[in-house]
Amino acid sequence: MARILALSRSLHLQHPLWVSLASLCSRSMSSLDTRARAVFSAAIEGVQPDMVVRRSLERHGNKLLVGGQSFTLTNNLYLVGFGKAVLGMAAEAERIVGDHLIKGVVSVPHGIQKTLCNHGKEKMLLENNSRITVMEGAKNNLPDADAQKSAECIRELASGLTEKDLLLVLISGGGSALLPAPAPPMSLQEKQDVTRKLAAAGATIQDLNTVRRALSLLKGGGLAQCANPAQVVALILSDVIGDPLDLIASGPTVRSDSKPEEVWAILDRYKLSDSLPSSVNEVLSKTRPHYREAKDHVLNVVIGSNTIALECASRKAVELGLRPVILSPGVCGDVRSVSRLYGLFSRFACSPEKEPPPEIAAEILQLGPEVGVESWDLCRTMNVLVEERKEGWGATCLLAGGEPTVQLRGKGRGGRNQELALRVGVELSSSEVKSGAVFLSGGTDGQDGPTEAAGAVTDGELMEEATSQGLDIDGFLTNNDSFTFFSQLSEGQRLLMPGLTGTNVMDVHVMLLPPSPQRDLQ
């Protein structure tokens, strides 16, 4: 334990007016549930499309400030966008700079305008007199003919610009499927077949993206190349861990450094080189123009991310009298390992012993690499929890985000957030000492898998509650049927149902840890 404290002693955080033990103990578990939901709502609110655009575009007359740079507006602005959240981004951008906008095209998911209306999100829709054309496609998040038509319109707009023009590019998650532009003479179907075979052969996401970019006109910096010599400013809402610009929507405004021999090496590795259609061979054999990303030609700015969502959640936690600590925005790996980590943190924080058992700290550190969390972040977080025990702070709000994975073995309904919440509930229920912790996992887009829920809220009473209602948790987990479980448990009260949010920065995890029962024994 001494090693953990030494690593992060300098990160001691101070916030006034923490909730007292007596007041916390007098509150019901439903109060902790309510506060966890409020923290999650604040995370979503902080990365709303209009909010992130408004924070990023600063207008002073005919000067536009973005990403620390200034651009002159002289009725020279064009706009393109693609992704699940770009409609709201485009609406806000037009409100800010629309008087200089000449033309725009956005590619958005099939049916999203109707869906936004149904969810009361009219502010994310464009005005009737908008100069931006909305094109819907990529039904079921798969590239299709409609999305390809949208991509062609975007390419055509970008290709006609001059050095006097400014192209504002809006990008969010789902943008790759909404911007399919296979390099001719290859068809969209042929490109999809190649990537599908790669995926079936076990190709990594890095390998898949390398091949996708090589077969596309617009990915891997292709869009920025089309717009050259115009100035390009890309505003990006990230749905990828670590916010790598080349992976978000396959990097249409970011230069790809992949060489043809690297692409062939990937195809050889998965034994696909000899079965490629002739059109794919032709595309890969061509010498494509090298994309030179001049510093004054392209500006890429991440304006919304999981990190930003967690920072907003942290501020809300302070308002609610909780002491926030952000673990990591990069939690990944199997939900079983992730749920184990949160169960261990609960035991570490709420152990009735005077010092948290060192074996728990050791297991937390051992799990770190498996769930994408750095040892430093684990040590820093454990140090905060130890300080809470020593100095008598109130409840802690442990925050994290990312995108864990689920191994599908059954045919039930659910998603990674609901299954994670269910598994964490089992961890909390299985602990010898009930900590009183509350855990929430939710998708920031408001949808978890093929369900109408975003996630669920759970605690150490879950197993007892399920048993009293005749629900077999193991059976639901085996069938990957977490949504059915939470729907049947206590009439669905534990489900997280915010509706469509219009944004997407992966998932947010909120764990409320009450004060240790031993903290008065100092």
Side-chain angles (χ1 to χ4, degrees), residues 2-183:
R3 181 167 66 90
I4 295 170
L5 298 179
L7 276 171
S8 51
R9 193 173 300 280
S10 64
L11 294 175
H12 178 73
L13 302 175
Q14 295 183 356
H15 289 294
L17 304 177
W18 297 109
V19 177
S20 68
L21 176 62
S23 64
L24 274 170
C25 290
S26 67
R27 293 175 180 172
S28 66
M29 186 58 63
S30 62
S31 172
L32 289 178
D33 176 298
T34 299
R35 282 187 283 172
R37 292 173 186 266
V39 170
F40 176 72
S41 295
I44 291 176
E45 186 62 30
V47 288
Q48 285 294 294
D50 58 337
M51 178 76 72
V52 295
V53 169
R54 195 158 55 245
R55 281 198 301 252
S56 305
L57 292 181
E58 188 176 343
R59 172 84 181 270
H60 297 285
N62 68 340
K63 294 294 183 182
L64 182 66
L65 303 180
V66 54
Q69 296 189 31
S70 176
F71 304 94
T72 301
L73 299 171
T74 56
N75 297 104
N76 60 340
L77 181 66
Y78 294 81
L79 183 150
V80 297
F82 31 91
K84 296 178 179 179
V86 301
L87 197 54
M89 295 168 71
E92 186 63 24
E94 189 166 26
R95 281 190 280 268
I96 296 171
V97 294
D99 54 325
H100 286 275
L101 181 64
I102 304 299
K103 183 180 180 181
V105 178
V106 292
S107 177
V108 298
H110 177 79
I112 192 170
Q113 294 177 93
K114 182 178 179 181
T115 302
L116 287 172
C117 282
N118 292 341
H119 284 77
K121 301 282 186 179
E122 288 84 359
K123 70 175 183 178
M124 294 187 183
L125 299 176
L126 298 171
E127 300 291 340
N128 291 332
N129 61 347
S130 172
R131 296 179 181 177
I132 301 171
T133 300
V134 179
M135 304 182 73
E136 296 188 355
K139 194 172 184 179
N140 300 319
N141 201 32
L142 295 173
D144 57 17
D146 288 334
Q148 186 172 357
K149 182 179 178 181
S150 303
E152 179 56 33
C153 290
I154 288 173
R155 188 179 74 85
E156 185 177 328
L157 184 152
S159 299
L161 302 181
T162 71
E163 68 274 6
K164 297 179 181 180
D165 296 321
L166 173 63
L167 179 64
L168 187 61
V169 182
L170 308 177
I171 303 173
S172 74
S176 185
L178 286 159
L179 196 72

Side-chain angles (χ1 to χ4, degrees), residues 430-471:
S430 301
S431 178
E432 293 180 2
V433 178
K434 295 292 187 293
S435 68
V438 169
F439 178 80
L440 176 153
S441 183
T444 55
D445 61 355
Q447 298 171 315
D448 186 39
T451 75
E452 51 266 43
V457 186
T458 191
D459 56 40
E461 305 301 321
L462 182 75
M463 289 183 70
E464 184 177 340
E465 187 178 333
T467 300
S468 69
Q469 297 176 34
L471 300 175

Side-chain angles (χ1 to χ4, degrees), residues 242-449:
D243 309 328
L245 297 178
D246 61 325
L247 293 187
I248 303 168
S250 298
T253 57
V254 182
R255 181 182 63 196
S256 172
D257 292 321
S258 299
K259 299 177 181 177
E261 52 267 30
E262 294 177 24
V263 179
W264 283 113
I266 292 171
L267 295 169
D268 286 340
R269 189 182 312 141
Y270 298 105
K271 298 179 172 53
L272 294 177
S273 298
D274 296 332
S275 60
L276 296 174
S278 59
S279 61
V280 176
N281 274 297
E282 184 176 343
V283 169
L284 294 177
S285 299
K286 286 180 180 177
T287 302
R288 301 184 67 187
H290 182 65
Y291 168 42
R292 296 179 180 176
E293 187 178 12
K295 290 183 179 179
D296 59 350
H297 168 49
V298 181
L299 174 64
N300 289 295
V301 184
V302 175
I303 63 173
S305 65
N306 195 269
T307 296
I308 293 172
L310 295 181
E311 290 169 352
C312 295
S314 178
R315 289 192 288 270
K316 184 64 176 181
V318 173
E319 291 178 18
L320 295 173
L322 304 165
R323 185 174 192 278
V325 54
I326 297 176
L327 172 63
S328 170
V331 176
C332 57
D334 191 273
V335 290
R336 291 174 295 184
S337 298
V338 176
S339 64
R340 177 63 180 167
L341 179 71
Y342 286 123
L344 289 169
F345 267 122
S346 172
R347 294 170 195 175
F348 181 91
C350 302
S351 169
E353 302 175 27
K354 194 166 186 179
E355 289 281 344
E359 60 270 19
I360 296 181
E363 188 175 349
I364 286 174
L365 290 171
Q366 186 177 4
L367 260 179
E370 196 174 326
V371 297
V373 183
E374 298 288 342
S375 296
W376 168 249
D377 289 322
L378 295 168
C379 292
R380 172 181 53 80
T381 300
M382 284 190 281
N383 179 65
V384 171
L385 297 177
V386 168
E387 292 297 309
E388 183 273 328
R389 297 166 67 95
K390 287 184 176 181
E391 300 192 15
W393 288 317
T396 299
C397 179
L398 181 64
L399 295 165
E403 200 165 84
T405 55
V406 175
Q407 292 186 21
L408 294 177
R409 293 188 173 90
K411 298 181 179 180
R413 293 185 69 203
R416 59 179 179 264
N417 287 285
Q418 292 164 89
E419 181 151 333
L420 177 60
L422 180 50
R423 290 185 180 277
V424 171
V426 172
E427 288 279 344
L428 298 177
S429 299
S430 301
S431 178
E432 293 180 2
V433 178
K434 295 292 187 293
S435 68
V438 169
F439 178 80
L440 176 153
S441 183
T444 55
D445 61 355
Q447 298 171 315
D448 186 39

